[in-house]
Amino acid sequence: MRTKPGKFTSTASSNQLRQELAQLAARYVAVDGVVDFLQAKRKAAARLGIQHSQQLPSNKEIEQALLDYQRLFQAESQPQTLMRMRETALAAMQFLHEFKPRLAGPVADGTATLHSEINLHLYSDTCETVAMLFLDQSIPFLPCDRRIRLNAANVVQYPAYQFVADGFKIVLIVLPYRDRNQSPVSPIDNQPMRRLNIAELQALLSADQPPH
Protein backbone atom coordinates (compact mmCIF):
# COMPACT_ATOMS: atom_id res chain seq x y z
CA MET A 1 0.00 0.00 0.00
CA ARG A 2 1.45 3.35 -1.08
CA THR A 3 1.76 6.13 1.43
CA LYS A 4 0.04 9.37 0.52
CA PRO A 5 2.60 12.06 -0.41
CA GLY A 6 1.28 14.48 2.21
CA LYS A 7 1.55 11.91 4.99
CA PHE A 8 5.06 10.89 3.91
CA THR A 9 6.18 14.51 3.86
CA SER A 10 4.72 15.11 7.30
CA THR A 11 6.43 12.03 8.74
CA ALA A 12 9.76 12.86 7.13
CA SER A 13 9.53 16.44 8.37
CA SER A 14 8.70 15.25 11.90
CA ASN A 15 11.66 12.84 11.93
CA GLN A 16 13.98 15.54 10.64
CA LEU A 17 12.78 17.92 13.35
CA ARG A 18 13.34 15.33 16.09
CA GLN A 19 16.83 14.70 14.75
CA GLU A 20 17.58 18.43 14.71
CA LEU A 21 16.30 18.78 18.27
CA ALA A 22 18.39 15.80 19.41
CA GLN A 23 21.53 17.23 17.80
CA LEU A 24 21.01 20.64 19.38
CA ALA A 25 20.27 19.10 22.79
CA ALA A 26 23.42 16.97 22.47
CA ARG A 27 25.47 20.07 21.77
CA TYR A 28 24.08 21.72 24.91
CA VAL A 29 25.27 18.68 26.87
CA ALA A 30 28.66 18.32 25.18
CA VAL A 31 29.63 21.99 25.01
CA ASP A 32 27.47 24.10 27.31
CA GLY A 33 27.53 21.84 30.34
CA VAL A 34 23.82 20.98 30.57
CA VAL A 35 23.86 17.66 32.42
CA ASP A 36 20.15 16.82 32.38
CA PHE A 37 18.73 15.48 29.11
CA LEU A 38 15.24 16.81 29.86
CA GLN A 39 16.60 20.29 30.43
CA ALA A 40 18.70 20.02 27.26
CA LYS A 41 15.75 18.99 25.08
CA ARG A 42 13.53 21.74 26.52
CA LYS A 43 16.26 24.29 25.86
CA ALA A 44 16.61 23.00 22.29
CA ALA A 45 12.84 23.14 21.78
CA ALA A 46 12.71 26.73 23.04
CA ARG A 47 15.58 27.67 20.71
CA LEU A 48 13.75 26.22 17.70
CA GLY A 49 10.31 27.46 18.75
CA ILE A 50 8.85 23.99 19.31
CA GLN A 51 5.92 23.86 21.74
CA HIS A 52 4.54 20.32 21.37
CA SER A 53 6.14 17.76 23.69
CA GLN A 54 5.25 14.98 21.23
CA GLN A 55 7.94 16.33 18.91
CA LEU A 56 10.71 16.12 21.51
CA PRO A 57 13.34 13.41 20.96
CA SER A 58 13.73 10.55 23.41
CA ASN A 59 16.66 10.34 25.80
CA LYS A 60 18.02 7.50 23.67
CA GLU A 61 17.99 9.73 20.60
CA ILE A 62 19.85 12.45 22.50
CA GLU A 63 22.41 9.95 23.77
CA GLN A 64 23.06 8.75 20.22
CA ALA A 65 23.39 12.34 19.00
CA LEU A 66 25.80 13.02 21.87
CA LEU A 67 27.94 10.03 20.92
CA ASP A 68 27.98 11.21 17.31
CA TYR A 69 28.99 14.73 18.35
CA GLN A 70 31.79 13.45 20.57
CA ARG A 71 33.15 11.21 17.79
CA LEU A 72 33.10 14.07 15.28
CA PHE A 73 34.23 17.06 17.33
CA GLN A 74 35.79 15.69 20.54
CA ALA A 75 37.53 12.58 19.25
CA GLU A 76 40.68 13.29 21.27
CA SER A 77 39.57 15.39 24.22
CA GLN A 78 36.50 13.40 25.32
CA PRO A 79 38.22 9.99 25.63
CA GLN A 80 41.02 11.64 27.64
CA THR A 81 38.49 13.32 29.93
CA LEU A 82 36.58 10.06 30.31
CA MET A 83 39.73 8.16 31.27
CA ARG A 84 40.66 10.77 33.90
CA MET A 85 37.16 10.60 35.36
CA ARG A 86 37.23 6.81 35.44
CA GLU A 87 40.63 6.86 37.16
CA THR A 88 39.25 9.27 39.75
CA ALA A 89 36.19 7.05 40.17
CA LEU A 90 38.39 3.99 40.69
CA ALA A 91 40.39 5.71 43.43
CA ALA A 92 37.16 6.73 45.17
CA MET A 93 35.72 3.23 44.85
CA GLN A 94 38.85 1.67 46.34
CA PHE A 95 38.61 4.12 49.25
CA LEU A 96 34.93 3.19 49.70
CA HIS A 97 35.32 -0.54 49.01
CA GLU A 98 33.51 -1.59 52.19
CA PHE A 99 30.28 -0.15 50.75
CA LYS A 100 30.36 -2.35 47.60
CA PRO A 101 30.54 0.66 45.24
CA ARG A 102 29.22 0.62 41.68
CA LEU A 103 30.04 3.27 39.07
CA ALA A 104 26.93 4.42 37.21
CA GLY A 105 25.79 7.20 34.88
CA PRO A 106 27.66 8.81 31.97
CA VAL A 107 31.12 7.94 33.33
CA ALA A 108 30.16 4.26 33.24
CA ASP A 109 28.33 4.57 29.90
CA GLY A 110 31.16 6.46 28.22
CA THR A 111 29.28 9.67 27.35
CA ALA A 112 30.70 11.81 30.16
CA THR A 113 31.70 15.44 29.63
CA LEU A 114 33.81 17.70 31.82
CA HIS A 115 30.58 18.81 33.49
CA SER A 116 29.29 15.32 34.33
CA GLU A 117 29.05 14.00 37.86
CA ILE A 118 30.84 10.82 38.83
CA ASN A 119 27.96 8.80 40.26
CA LEU A 120 28.76 6.02 42.70
CA HIS A 121 26.13 3.73 44.20
CA LEU A 122 27.07 2.67 47.72
CA TYR A 123 25.32 0.08 49.86
CA SER A 124 24.73 0.51 53.56
CA ASP A 125 21.74 0.27 55.87
CA THR A 126 22.89 3.41 57.70
CA CYS A 127 23.97 6.28 55.47
CA GLU A 128 25.64 7.92 58.48
CA THR A 129 28.46 5.37 58.26
CA VAL A 130 29.50 6.92 54.95
CA ALA A 131 29.50 10.39 56.48
CA MET A 132 31.54 9.17 59.46
CA LEU A 133 34.24 7.83 57.15
CA PHE A 134 34.62 11.25 55.53
CA LEU A 135 34.62 12.99 58.90
CA ASP A 136 37.29 10.63 60.22
CA GLN A 137 39.46 11.37 57.18
CA SER A 138 38.75 15.15 57.34
CA ILE A 139 37.40 15.12 53.77
CA PRO A 140 34.98 18.01 53.05
CA PHE A 141 31.58 16.87 51.77
CA LEU A 142 28.01 18.05 51.43
CA PRO A 143 24.79 16.08 52.02
CA CYS A 144 22.31 15.97 49.15
CA ASP A 145 19.88 13.49 47.62
CA ARG A 146 19.25 11.82 44.29
CA ARG A 147 16.23 10.17 42.68
CA ILE A 148 16.69 6.68 41.24
CA ARG A 149 14.22 4.72 39.16
CA LEU A 150 13.98 1.20 40.55
CA ASN A 151 11.58 0.03 37.84
CA ALA A 152 9.22 1.48 35.24
CA ALA A 153 6.79 2.77 37.88
CA ASN A 154 8.86 3.32 41.01
CA VAL A 155 11.19 6.30 41.58
CA VAL A 156 12.77 6.63 45.02
CA GLN A 157 14.75 9.48 46.55
CA TYR A 158 17.91 8.34 48.35
CA PRO A 159 20.34 10.17 50.64
CA ALA A 160 23.60 11.13 48.99
CA TYR A 161 26.85 12.94 49.62
CA GLN A 162 28.97 14.96 47.24
CA PHE A 163 32.61 15.96 47.31
CA VAL A 164 35.30 17.03 44.85
CA ALA A 165 38.36 15.01 43.83
CA ASP A 166 40.83 15.85 41.04
CA GLY A 167 38.51 18.67 40.02
CA PHE A 168 35.52 16.38 39.45
CA LYS A 169 32.30 16.29 41.46
CA ILE A 170 31.64 12.85 42.90
CA VAL A 171 28.15 12.00 44.14
CA LEU A 172 27.73 9.04 46.47
CA ILE A 173 24.18 7.66 46.49
CA VAL A 174 23.53 5.40 49.48
CA LEU A 175 21.13 2.52 48.82
CA PRO A 176 19.96 -0.25 51.18
CA TYR A 177 22.41 -3.12 51.45
CA ARG A 178 19.69 -5.65 50.55
CA ASP A 179 19.47 -4.08 47.07
CA ARG A 180 23.16 -4.47 46.23
CA ASN A 181 22.46 -7.03 43.49
CA GLN A 182 19.55 -5.13 41.95
CA SER A 183 20.38 -2.80 39.09
CA PRO A 184 18.21 0.34 38.86
CA VAL A 185 16.57 1.33 35.59
CA SER A 186 18.43 3.65 33.23
CA PRO A 187 16.69 6.96 32.45
CA ILE A 188 18.02 6.64 28.91
CA ASP A 189 16.28 3.48 27.70
CA ASN A 190 14.40 2.08 30.75
CA GLN A 191 16.66 -0.97 30.70
CA PRO A 192 18.81 -2.17 33.63
CA MET A 193 21.45 0.50 34.23
CA ARG A 194 25.02 -0.27 33.27
CA ARG A 195 27.14 -0.26 36.40
CA LEU A 196 30.75 -1.21 37.03
CA ASN A 197 32.29 -2.69 40.16
CA ILE A 198 35.95 -2.16 41.03
CA ALA A 199 37.24 -5.16 39.06
CA GLU A 200 35.19 -4.28 35.98
CA LEU A 201 36.37 -0.68 36.03
CA GLN A 202 39.99 -1.76 36.44
CA ALA A 203 39.66 -4.08 33.44
CA LEU A 204 38.08 -1.30 31.37
CA LEU A 205 40.88 1.13 32.22
CA SER A 206 43.54 -1.46 31.45
CA ALA A 207 41.98 -2.11 28.05
CA ASP A 208 41.91 1.63 27.29
CA GLN A 209 45.58 2.22 28.15
CA PRO A 210 47.72 2.97 25.08
CA PRO A 211 50.47 0.43 24.32
CA HIS A 212 53.99 1.29 25.55
Side-chain angles (χ1 to χ4, degrees):
M1 179 177 178
R2 296 181 62 185
T3 305
K4 294 181 180 180
K7 184 176 181 180
F8 175 80
T9 302
S10 175
T11 302
S13 177
S14 177
N15 290 338
Q16 183 177 357
L17 179 59
R18 286 172 65 90
Q19 184 178 20
E20 187 175 353
L21 282 166
Q23 290 170 345
L24 183 55
R27 188 181 184 282
Y28 285 139
V29 174
V31 178
D32 295 351
V34 178
V35 297
D36 181 80
F37 278 13
L38 178 59
Q39 181 184 353
K41 71 175 73 175
R42 286 176 173 171
K43 187 174 179 179
R47 174 71 179 272
L48 298 179
I50 306 302
Q51 299 180 348
H52 300 291
S53 60
Q54 294 87 342
Q55 295 175 303
L56 295 181
S58 67
N59 286 344
K60 188 65 177 177
E61 289 172 307
I62 296 176
E63 182 187 58
Q64 184 57 55
L66 177 59
L67 287 168
D68 293 340
Y69 185 94
Q70 290 171 334
R71 291 191 192 102
L72 284 172
F73 302 108
Q74 299 175 335
E76 293 186 6
S77 61
Q78 194 272 340
Q80 292 173 355
T81 297
L82 178 62
M83 179 172 289
R84 286 173 51 215
M85 296 181 82
R86 284 175 169 173
E87 289 171 345
T88 300
L90 178 60
M93 292 169 73
Q94 290 170 333
F95 173 68
L96 297 160
H97 66 92
E98 64 186 282
F99 301 106
K100 309 298 181 185
R102 299 289 187 273
L103 175 62
V107 181
D109 294 338
T111 59
T113 74
L114 274 172
H115 309 282
S116 299
E117 298 177 344
I118 297 175
N119 291 322
L120 299 182
H121 294 175
L122 307 184
Y123 291 90
S124 175
D125 290 330
T126 54
C127 62
E128 292 79 9
T129 56
V130 178
M132 288 302 301
L133 177 61
F134 278 76
L135 290 171
D136 289 343
Q137 298 295 322
S138 299
I139 299 174
F141 69 95
L142 291 173
C144 55
D145 53 63
R146 287 294 185 274
R147 293 163 62 86
I148 290 184
R149 185 177 296 277
L150 298 181
N151 50 54
N154 193 11
V155 178
V156 178
Q157 183 167 286
Y158 290 100
Y161 302 98
Q162 63 183 42
F163 68 104
V164 175
D166 300 329
F168 301 116
K169 182 165 76 170
I170 301 179
V171 177
L172 313 174
I173 306 168
V174 186
L175 297 91
Y177 189 78
R178 66 178 182 274
D179 294 337
R180 64 192 181 280
N181 295 320
Q182 176 183 348
S183 181
V185 173
S186 168
I188 303 299
D189 56 9
N190 292 321
Q191 298 299 310
M193 183 183 294
R194 184 190 186 193
R195 302 189 305 165
L196 304 172
N197 60 29
I198 290 176
E200 290 167 336
L201 181 55
Q202 286 175 323
L204 191 59
L205 283 168
S206 296
D208 288 341
Q209 290 290 343
H212 296 287

